[in-house]
Amino acid sequence: MIIPVNLDKNGYDIIFERGALQKVSDLLNLDRKVLIVTDDGVPPEYAEEVRSVSSDAYLTVMPAGEESKSFKNLEKICHTMLQNSFTRNDCVIAVGGGVVGDLAGFAASCYMRGIDFYNVPTTLLSQVDSSVGGKTAIDLDGIKNIVGSFYQPKKVIIDPKVLDTLSKRNFACGAAEIIKMAVCFDRKLFELIEEKGVKNCLEEAITGALKIKAAVVEKDEKEGGLRRALNFGHTIGHGIESVTGLFHGECVAMGMLPMCSEKVRKRLSDVLKREDLPVDLSSALRRYGVKPAGSNMAEKIAEASSHDKKMINGTITAVRVEEPGSFRMEKMNREKLEKACMEVVS
Ligand code: GLY
């Protein structure tokens, strides 16, 4: 299936096909210098699949993890391109999850003021969310994505076959982002997941999420309004993530729950449990062996959440879901935010 992202000059296709990675030479222009960026947590055969069919390939392998989104690694990638005489006609390919995509995409956007970038996401989370929409970035001083650009890829290759090697925990994190999109934008997709679970309707779940993401990005490429809805669960989720270090999708799962009506919360909680995602913080900390950061966790999470999304005049704007398939924006002051965080903690 081809899902187009219509953005005038910056438009591109998302190719969704089981086995697409083996056809990458037909799908991408690899008859030029190609810098493949991957990390040591990605099975090496995926990058090798691309390297073996490229005419002049270079490979950069980063350590897995958020710490790789650094100026040091940006310099390393640009240096590799410079030393090997990459020109504006050459390209960068990310083969990996969100970290690799963010870093490689940002390097592609900077080198010679922008060279072609292809994304081959290998985690469910990057397949359904971060590989589409052109957000690229590195971190600075512990602040995620603070230096970056909107830079659309020339093509995104999504091969669900690569998910066969993904850990259960990482699969669940991707499921959380699919559920987020369904509950905000597509009642039918939410009901399908509610009935079957993500694994049992994987193709519909991935393509459904991709269609939502493409439509949102087409309407609001630079996150002036509508695209902010994709941050559902992320205000509190980012707070939990920075205080506990639990995985992003797990934190988003817990962060969505206080932002729903009672009715949706019950249904969403059941859906998340079925995907083996946490619905309360204490059980998640116990399960993953994380020590609680002191007694006032809700306050700490609220503090981190308000830093992350920058409070303006003492309020933060977050996404709220009253009915599956729709959302509204809600202004929250610090007290309201802390109350919501309390619901996750207790
Ligand atoms: N991951 C949210 C966005 O791309 O806007």
Side-chain angles (χ1 to χ4, degrees), residues 15 68 87 92 138 235 255 264 275-276 280 287 305:
I15 313 290
S68 280
T87 70
V92 176
I138 56 172
T235 304
V264 174
E275 298 300 330
D276 206 18
D280 77 271
R287 176 171 181 186
S305 303

Side-chain angles (χ1 to χ4, degrees), residues 89-138:
N89 298 323
D90 299 319
C91 70
V92 176
I93 307 185
V95 180
V99 167
V100 167
D102 282 5
L103 172 67
F106 188 47
S109 82
C110 297
Y111 186 75
M112 297 188 85
R113 299 197 178 92
I115 68 170
D116 284 359
F117 172 57
Y118 298 124
N119 207 333
V120 184
T122 59
T123 62
L124 183 58
L125 196 146
S126 59
Q127 289 192 341
V128 297
D129 194 5
S130 61
S131 63
V132 174
K135 280 189 179 175
T136 77
I138 56 172

Side-chain angles (χ1 to χ4, degrees), residues 57-346:
Y58 301 81
L59 180 69
T60 297
V61 184
M62 299 289 161
E66 186 70 25
E67 300 72 40
S68 280
K69 284 170 61 178
S70 64
F71 269 106
K72 195 172 114 256
N73 286 334
L74 173 67
E75 185 182 359
K76 187 174 168 190
I77 293 172
C78 291
H79 212 236
T80 303
M81 288 194 273
L82 184 62
Q83 281 184 329
N84 293 292
S85 309
F86 273 58
T87 70
R88 236 185 230 144
N89 298 323
D90 299 319
C91 70
V92 176
I93 307 185
V95 180
V99 167
V100 167
D102 282 5
L103 172 67
F106 188 47
S109 82
C110 297
Y111 186 75
M112 297 188 85
R113 299 197 178 92
I115 68 170
D116 284 359
F117 172 57
Y118 298 124
N119 207 333
V120 184
T122 59
T123 62
L124 183 58
L125 196 146
S126 59
Q127 289 192 341
V128 297
D129 194 5
S130 61
S131 63
V132 174
K135 280 189 179 175
T136 77
I138 56 172
D139 306 339
L140 181 64
D141 291 344
I143 304 181
K144 277 173 84 164
N145 303 326
I146 196 70
V147 180
S149 61
F150 284 98
Y151 192 70
Q152 300 296 338
K154 287 282 174 235
K155 206 168 267 181
V156 180
I157 308 291
I158 297 188
D159 182 349
K161 196 161 174 273
V162 301
L163 302 177
D164 296 350
T165 54
L166 194 65
S167 70
K168 275 189 176 161
R169 192 172 174 190
N170 276 312
F171 186 91
C173 286
E177 295 284 2
I178 295 175
I179 293 162
K180 169 202 79 179
M181 288 194 244
V183 77
C184 286
F185 289 96
D186 187 340
R187 181 179 53 82
K188 285 206 170 116
L189 182 59
F190 181 72
E191 285 168 359
L192 181 72
I193 294 169
E194 200 170 30
E195 186 196 327
K196 295 191 166 175
V198 169
K199 237 192 187 119
N200 296 323
C201 60
L202 188 59
E203 188 162 323
E204 288 125 299
I206 296 177
T207 56
L210 286 170
K211 285 177 193 163
I212 294 168
K213 182 82 193 250
V216 169
V217 169
E218 282 169 4
K219 290 197 186 85
D220 179 19
E221 185 184 356
K222 304 250 165 102
E223 201 170 304
L226 180 70
R227 190 165 175 173
R228 290 188 196 141
L230 297 176
N231 294 330
F232 177 52
H234 284 61
T235 304
I236 295 171
H238 278 160
I240 302 172
E241 198 176 345
S242 79
V243 171
T244 65
L246 288 169
F247 286 9
H248 179 73
E250 294 158 357
C251 300
V252 168
M254 289 184 277
M256 288 191 279
L257 290 166
M259 301 307 298
C260 298
S261 62
E262 277 302 321
K263 202 170 70 181
V264 174
R265 190 180 313 188
K266 168 79 182 86
R267 288 173 66 185
L268 182 57
S269 171
D270 289 347
V271 168
L272 295 172
K273 280 189 217 155
R274 179 173 177 171
E275 298 300 330
D276 206 18
L277 283 158
V279 295
D280 77 271
L281 189 59
S282 343
S283 324
L285 295 179
R286 266 198 309 279
R287 176 171 181 186
Y288 294 112
V290 179
K291 269 206 186 128
S295 52
N296 48 356
M297 285 287 271
E299 208 181 306
K300 287 200 172 98
I301 292 167
E303 177 67 20
S305 303
S306 45
H307 272 307
D308 178 63
K309 293 287 174 222
K310 305 267 182 308
M311 282 209 153
I312 299 171
N313 297 332
T315 62
I316 203 165
T317 305
V319 187
R320 189 167 181 85
V321 172
E322 305 285 357
E323 285 292 332
S326 65
F327 62 88
R328 65 177 171 81
M329 294 297 176
E330 181 177 272
K331 283 201 187 307
M332 297 172 89
N333 60 21
R334 175 60 190 255
E335 195 188 336
K336 208 167 176 183
L337 182 61
E338 217 168 293
K339 217 170 137 212
C341 293
M342 197 79 87
E343 287 175 36
V344 180
V345 169
S346 52

